[in-house]
Amino acid sequence: MNAPGAQAALTTYVAACGPAEADEPEAWQASDLVTDVLLLFAPDDAEQILHRAERDYAAEQPDVTPVYPAAD
């Protein structure tokens, strides 16, 4: 994983959840973390967050040429 902050968050989340979470595959742990974060928000806000995350994920794939926004 090339995002140290995200890895630290996942590690902290798994440690806080306990042994059952630690036994799950890392991808499931990440899914649980993302779901719990989304549940912190109202449904409309969670939907917007998920939409933006999906858009950003698609844009940041290694086989996609990055498009950077104009500098402010």
Side-chain angles (χ1 to χ4, degrees), residues 1-69:
M1 183 179 293
N2 62 1
Q7 183 62 57
L10 183 58
T11 300
T12 300
Y13 173 79
V14 171
C17 288
E21 188 72 29
D23 289 340
E24 291 186 351
E26 188 175 52
W28 292 10
Q29 295 169 355
S31 173
D32 292 345
L33 170 58
V34 170
T35 300
D36 286 350
V37 168
L38 289 173
L39 288 169
L40 294 172
F41 297 90
D44 289 345
D45 292 335
E47 186 176 338
Q48 286 182 330
I49 293 166
L50 185 56
H51 171 76
R52 286 178 52 99
E54 289 173 334
R55 180 197 65 197
D56 293 348
Y57 179 78
E60 294 178 16
Q61 291 302 297
D63 61 340
V64 173
T65 303
V67 177
Y68 300 101

